[in-house]
Amino acid sequence: MSRTDTLTVPAGRDEPALPEARTAPLDAAGLRSPAQEPDVRDFELPAGGLDDGQRLRALDTMDAYLTSKRRYLLGYQATQEMGGSAFDLGRFMHHNINNLGDPFQSGGYKPNTKVVERAVLDYYAALWHAKGPYDAADPESYWGYVLSMGSTEGNMYALWNARDYLSGKALIQPPAATPDGTPRYLRAAAEPGNPNAHRPVAFYSEDTHYSFAKAVHVLGVETFHAVGTEQYPDECPLAAPTAAQSPAWPAEVPSRKGPSGHTWDGTGEIDIDALAVLVEFFAAKGHPIFVSLNLGSTFKGAHDDVREVCERLLPIFEKHGLIRSEVAYGKDPSTGEPLTDLRRRFWIHVDGALGAGYAPFLRMAAADPAGFDWAPDTTLPEFDFGVTLPTREFGDVDMVSSIAMSGHKWPGAPWPCGIYMTKVKYQISPPSQPEYIGAPDTTFAGSRNGFSPLILWDHLSRHSYRDQVDRIRRAQELAAYLEQQLRLLELEKDIELWPARTPGAITVRFRKPSPELVAKWSLSSQDVLLVPGDERTRRSYVHVFLMSSVDRAKLDELLADLGNDYAVLGRG
């Protein structure tokens, strides 16, 4: 069999449409098979409402379906280990909890859990080496909030925060004042001549979550691809395919290439050499720089080397005056003269939707293997607010400006939520100040889910640092086990399954099985072209995430299904 062959479904094995729930057979209790997705008609809401029997039957249908799917969920970054929180926290369903506005001010809506939210934020601030507890008067203090969405909201807030900071919007904390009370940097406007000074450019890799493509469009943030194509169409600094050909601007920063010379078999980390070349080009043109890095990427589970990226980019920032420069942010109300302050002209964000939840504990074990009874095979580099680097002129510079993490991934909240964290010195003055909520409108949402802090707090209270190390150890061991067993299955069935695992990742990717198994195990899939532009080389992959709710018995059941499935689907 050729290594470029794809596993095809034999005739008559096309992906079946889900049957209508109304026509599916009923069990003795009058319920549909839990393996089948319920039909919307099972939940129709008539004008007269439902009696108790109809209402409970509908809820039982959904419960049976979710329970069956919970058992087989392997393809997504979501744990099904709720840790008994439903029993302890069910009492709070009697309350309408809303964490409206800034988490560090109680506000007018008193049925809130902001004190719990602050405790959760303090926990992650310590874990991510941010300065805490929160202090509004300290520019270096952390600030953050619990997201009502997942890291998509955190990434969007980071882009919004960075866009306004880099383009010169007013800060919540005004610049330091002189002893006589006048703004320290009140002076004539900065010298004209840099039309790009307030035009930040965004960089992120091809393995970045799709939410970034949405966010840059929603927020009007320009990517290097858009600016390069519009302003510098024939000047892309990356290597050209031929000496006579000018390369097109790539849509995203390339990821590292694998043994094939292409990115499909790479490990998924950002190509730091390519990133440095691109950042150098736009920094030289006077653009402020926004870079987003991944910590546990969506499909390959890759961890960008945040420290190495910072080490490569800092000399570029220093060379082009981006570590600190004057930014006009308004006018003095009494004189009309421009107000300026000194800001950095770069922003490094870490999308740690999955990885920011476990990376600190992996690093703890690597630093103290005797204390935690485990020496990880792979050590992740620094990724958080503790990354500081020396400069000639400005001393040590803290490099990371913001981090986002999803609470429904590694921690295991039963609904989407997460954490966004930055520093007080980067906070932008909100666009509005509604008095009736009684707290500054500093978050992305208006009303915010007050149950999420309780869920996160409950998880953290149940798991010590040692418990968290044990969770990531089990995940790493199961990932290694699954990769090994897939390679053995290849030999047993004489079929290429293409198993692969990025070092340190808790996901394993392999050849896409039949549609029936993809549906049964909730496997997410992704197609790649071994040769760009050549459809004949298309491969279809799926992946499994080894979350804390996965055990070896579940993997063995999956492997048995795959063995039978691949035996039926044959050998090309």
Side-chain angles (χ1 to χ4, degrees):
M1 170 182 273
S2 166
R3 294 196 66 83
T4 62
D5 287 344
T6 56
L7 196 63
T8 56
V9 180
R13 293 283 306 273
D14 289 338
E15 183 169 356
L18 288 172
E20 291 283 329
R22 291 283 180 172
T23 60
L26 305 178
D27 63 16
L31 301 177
R32 314 294 167 196
S33 166
Q36 297 166 341
E37 185 172 330
D39 191 280
V40 66
R41 290 173 293 178
D42 291 324
F43 300 90
E44 286 178 347
L45 294 168
L50 301 174
D51 61 36
D52 283 347
Q54 294 170 319
R55 180 178 59 83
L56 293 174
R57 189 178 303 113
L59 293 176
D60 287 345
T61 297
M62 181 55 69
D63 181 47
Y65 170 73
L66 293 175
T67 299
S68 71
K69 292 304 179 184
R70 178 182 189 273
R71 175 185 174 190
Y72 295 107
L73 179 66
L74 285 179
Y76 290 83
Q77 301 177 0
T79 182
Q80 298 297 305
E81 180 190 52
M82 298 297 109
S85 59
F87 298 101
D88 288 346
L89 302 182
R91 72 187 86 170
F92 296 101
M93 293 298 291
H94 296 288
H95 308 284
N96 189 327
I97 308 173
N98 190 337
N99 285 13
L100 185 63
D102 191 277
F104 296 97
Q105 295 190 31
S106 180
Y109 191 89
K110 297 306 180 183
N112 66 64
T113 59
K114 288 186 179 182
V115 65
V116 178
E117 182 175 9
R118 293 168 205 155
V120 170
L121 293 169
D122 282 347
Y123 179 96
Y124 282 107
L127 207 59
W128 297 337
H129 299 97
K131 187 177 181 181
Y134 166 76
D135 181 357
D138 183 355
E140 297 300 326
S141 167
Y142 88 85
W143 177 86
Y145 73 100
V146 172
L147 308 165
S148 289
M149 295 164 55
S151 285
T152 293
E153 179 185 346
N155 293 336
M156 187 170 289
Y157 195 97
L159 273 168
W160 181 28
N161 199 163
R163 181 198 69 183
D164 286 0
Y165 177 87
L166 296 173
S167 60
K169 297 295 175 62
L171 301 173
I172 282 184
Q173 185 183 78
T178 58
D180 64 2
T182 59
R184 184 177 298 278
Y185 304 116
L186 177 59
R187 60 187 75 169
E191 297 236 352
N194 180 12
N196 297 323
H198 289 176
R199 191 181 182 187
V201 174
F203 301 80
Y204 50 87
S205 81
E206 62 185 88
D207 277 85
T208 295
H209 190 261
Y210 64 87
S211 64
F212 260 91
K214 290 193 295 186
V216 295
H217 283 287
V218 170
L219 294 168
V221 174
E222 296 182 292
T223 66
F224 78 90
H225 167 79
V227 176
T229 302
E230 176 191 344
Q231 297 287 113
Y232 319 108
D234 300 318
E235 301 180 47
C236 179
L238 298 180
T242 66
Q245 182 180 358
S246 176
W249 288 94
E252 300 98 7
V253 179
S255 296
R256 285 179 176 169
K257 294 180 175 63
S260 70
H262 300 289
T263 60
W264 68 267
D265 60 345
T267 52
E269 293 97 344
I270 195 168
D271 184 332
I272 299 177
D273 292 334
L275 174 65
V277 168
L278 291 167
V279 167
E280 170 78 42
F281 179 90
F282 285 93
K285 301 289 186 183
H287 291 276
I289 303 297
F290 172 89
V291 177
S292 180
L293 301 172
N294 297 317
L295 200 70
S297 64
T298 310
F299 202 79
K300 295 180 178 179
H303 308 94
D304 290 336
D305 192 328
V306 176
R307 170 167 276 277
E308 185 179 349
V309 168
C310 292
E311 290 173 345
R312 289 291 300 277
L313 296 188
L314 183 61
I316 298 173
F317 299 152
E318 199 167 12
K319 173 183 176 181
H320 296 289
L322 299 184
I323 294 179
R324 190 178 300 166
S325 63
E326 195 172 57
V327 175
Y329 68 90
K331 292 185 177 181
D332 182 82
S334 59
T335 67
E337 292 293 322
L339 288 171
T340 66
D341 63 33
L342 294 181
R343 298 184 192 180
R344 67 174 51 184
R345 311 302 292 134
F346 69 91
W347 187 291
I348 294 177
H349 171 68
V350 176
D351 178 6
L354 176 64
Y358 62 72
F361 304 110
L362 199 57
R363 287 180 52 78
M364 284 182 195
D368 184 14
F372 288 102
D373 302 316
W374 179 47
D377 294 333
T378 301
T379 302
L380 300 184
E382 286 182 273
F383 69 92
D384 55 27
F385 298 107
V387 178
T388 58
L389 297 174
T391 64
R392 294 186 301 274
E393 184 178 355
F394 303 105
D396 289 347
V397 174
D398 56 310
M399 298 297 294
V400 173
S401 298
S402 57
I403 298 174
M405 184 202 77
S406 290
H408 56 288
K409 293 185 177 178
W410 187 252
W415 51 69
C417 62
I419 303 287
Y420 173 77
M421 192 168 288
T422 184
K423 294 188 175 184
V424 167
K425 64 183 178 182
Y426 302 129
Q427 280 190 275
I428 297 297
S429 184
S432 62
Q433 298 285 357
E435 292 185 12
Y436 74 92
I437 68 172
D441 185 30
T442 51
T443 66
F444 194 79
S447 294
R448 293 190 298 114
N449 190 332
F451 292 96
S452 296
L454 290 168
I455 288 286
L456 294 173
W457 182 91
D458 189 67
H459 165 79
L460 298 173
S461 71
R462 290 170 182 269
H463 295 88
S464 67
Y465 279 9
R466 175 173 289 277
D467 294 333
Q468 296 282 12
V469 169
D470 286 343
R471 293 173 84 229
I472 185 59
R473 174 186 55 78
R474 289 193 299 271
Q476 294 276 324
E477 291 172 351
L478 287 173
Y481 172 77
L482 178 58
E483 182 185 18
Q484 177 192 55
Q485 293 302 308
L486 285 168
R487 296 193 186 281
L488 292 175
L489 188 60
E490 280 190 309
L491 296 175
E492 177 189 342
K493 300 297 181 181
D494 188 27
I495 186 172
E496 293 178 344
L497 305 183
W498 317 322
R501 178 188 173 214
T502 295
I506 59 170
T507 182
V508 178
R509 53 196 184 274
F510 53 93
R511 191 174 202 161
K512 184 177 181 178
S514 66
E516 290 84 358
L517 284 195
V518 169
K520 174 180 177 179
W521 291 99
S522 293
L523 301 175
S524 64
S525 62
Q526 179 172 298
D527 285 5
V528 300
L529 296 179
L530 276 63
V531 178
D534 187 349
E535 286 291 329
R536 296 171 299 176
T537 65
R538 180 176 295 277
R539 277 187 176 183
S540 296
Y541 282 87
V542 294
H543 64 179
V544 164
F545 271 96
L546 287 309
M547 307 302 286
S548 60
S549 52
V550 178
D551 57 22
R552 184 171 290 198
K554 188 174 291 189
L555 295 182
D556 287 342
E557 186 177 353
L558 168 69
L559 289 162
D561 279 355
L562 291 173
N564 293 330
D565 191 63
Y566 288 128
V568 170
L569 294 182
R571 298 161 173 80

